Amino acid sequence: MWQQTAPEKAGFAPDLADRLDALVREGRAPGLHGVVVARRGELVAEYYGSGPDFSWGVPHGTVDFGPETLHDLRSVTKSVTGLLYGIALADGLVPEPGEPILPRFPEYSDLAADPRRARLTVEHALTMTLGLEWDESAPYTGPENSEIAMEMAEDRYRFVLERPIVEEPGTRWHYNGGATALIGALIARGAGRPLEEFARSALFEPLGIDSFEWMAGDDGIASPAAGLRLTPRGMARIGRAVLEREVIPADWVDAMLRPRVPSTWNRFYGYLWYVGPDGRASATGNGGQRLFLLPDLDLVVAVTAGDYDGPVQDVAPRAVLEEVVLPALVP
């Protein structure tokens, strides 16, 4: 999957790995589990640590991580689902972003009869601007969190689509894992097979990713919002594919990474990816999971960590990128 190269051959200081080790040793990257740095299509450096880990709250104990260890991606899964939608769109399996979404759920004719809900489009789901009541500010441990309530619901799609309307669709970004659940359903229904099976044949196998898991709810449906488990190398391989427009249609990548609506932390949201005006993008997951794309530097950085629901979960990935990787680039 990866051709490895020395840091200095990729434009980095030769002590890049030592800098990663020092970051951890000095306590500046709490909960760090793994790092993969790839530039110009080659693996430049990687780091693996150890620490307690969980899958959706189920403890694994202390894990010694390595290149083959799968890791929860949490909401990085959303961005991978966005890639799968683009592939399915090119194959004519899903509706265009501008099309209304409720006709694709004909079992909810009562909801479609509401003219306000009839205005909901696929793009509103892709940009998390559905305008529906949704709250993921509570811990992901009980139904006070809307995503957990969705997982506990008898019908997850009805649960999402019948939420009270609180504002005009398309006006404001509001974090909503249910929006991604709808996108996952469109892909699975259009492909005529489960989301994880489509992902395997349409994305993972063509990229040489042969190890993954996709966790499912009690109804057996894989979670498009937070269920994917990959290795950091697998994450980075996906990032490389986005930069190189490999497997994923180039026009979709361009559309997906276009800033469309202001989101959190002074960033914009595209189609299920966080994007910046500088062309850089990221996929973000609870606990410190990050996939950074820096096309201007032909650089991909994948980070896994274990500060789930923690107060400093952004510290480790930011420290890796801003205190180690970027300063190590040779002008």
Side-chain angles (χ1 to χ4, degrees):
M1 182 191 301
W2 283 108
Q3 179 71 36
Q4 293 184 274
T5 191
E8 56 269 31
K9 291 184 178 180
F12 286 96
D15 65 344
L16 177 59
D18 293 335
R19 297 189 190 199
L20 278 171
D21 289 340
L23 183 79
V24 176
R25 188 172 60 252
E26 295 166 7
R28 293 183 287 132
L32 187 65
H33 289 168
V35 176
V36 169
V37 181
R39 193 177 193 204
R40 301 167 186 161
E42 295 182 314
L43 194 155
V44 180
E46 55 189 333
Y47 163 88
Y48 297 101
S50 63
D53 199 26
F54 306 83
S55 291
W56 276 4
V58 177
H60 293 304
T62 298
V63 177
D64 294 323
F65 296 95
E68 305 304 319
T69 309
L70 296 175
H71 199 285
D72 273 21
L73 300 195
R74 301 297 172 100
S75 288
V76 172
T77 307
K78 294 177 173 67
S79 299
V80 176
T81 299
L83 301 180
L84 295 172
Y85 176 86
I87 295 171
L89 181 64
D91 291 340
L93 302 177
V94 293
E96 293 284 344
E99 293 186 34
I101 198 168
L102 272 167
R104 300 292 172 149
F105 295 88
E107 64 269 39
Y108 309 136
S109 57
D110 59 318
L111 299 179
D114 181 344
R116 300 173 301 167
R117 296 184 195 277
R119 293 199 297 269
L120 295 175
T121 67
V122 177
E123 183 169 71
H124 292 145
L126 289 167
T127 56
M128 294 191 184
T129 59
L130 288 167
L132 302 177
E133 181 181 274
W134 197 267
D135 183 7
E136 293 190 35
S137 62
Y140 290 87
T141 54
E144 298 81 10
N145 183 296
S146 294
E147 184 171 312
I148 301 304
M150 173 185 69
E151 291 293 336
M152 297 173 65
E154 183 176 349
D155 182 337
R156 66 176 63 218
Y157 308 124
R158 173 174 283 278
F159 178 87
V160 178
L161 290 166
E162 72 179 4
R163 293 300 89 203
I165 299 171
V166 295
E167 60 190 353
E168 185 69 20
T171 58
R172 186 174 66 94
W173 181 86
H174 186 74
Y175 196 73
N176 186 332
T180 316
L182 299 177
I183 297 300
L186 294 178
I187 298 167
R189 292 180 179 202
R193 49 190 164 141
L195 180 67
E196 66 273 23
E197 292 184 13
F198 180 75
R200 183 191 302 276
S201 62
L203 182 63
F204 298 148
E205 288 183 347
L207 296 181
I209 298 172
D210 55 11
S211 179
F212 78 96
E213 295 175 2
W214 207 315
M215 295 181 290
D218 292 339
D219 55 7
I221 297 175
S223 168
L228 186 58
R229 289 171 57 80
L230 285 173
T231 66
R233 286 186 176 187
M235 288 176 65
R237 183 66 184 91
I238 288 173
R240 171 183 158 195
V242 174
L243 290 191
E244 298 182 358
R245 276 58 172 170
E246 179 187 3
V247 177
I248 307 135
D251 58 349
W252 176 251
V253 173
D254 294 340
M256 181 182 70
L257 299 185
R258 185 182 308 149
R260 295 178 181 275
V261 59
S263 66
T264 54
W265 306 299
N266 298 317
R267 294 181 295 178
F268 285 82
Y269 209 60
Y271 286 156
L272 297 177
W273 282 76
Y274 294 96
V275 295
D278 55 4
R280 297 182 178 184
S282 65
T284 297
N286 187 326
Q289 324 319 316
R290 300 290 187 273
L291 178 56
F292 296 110
L293 308 182
L294 293 80
D296 55 317
L297 299 173
D298 201 358
L299 176 64
V300 172
V301 181
V303 179
T304 57
D307 191 32
Y308 304 109
D309 291 323
V312 295
Q313 56 187 283
D314 197 47
V315 171
R318 282 293 168 191
V320 168
L321 181 67
E322 297 174 2
E323 298 181 31
V324 173
V325 176
L326 292 180
L329 283 167
V330 177

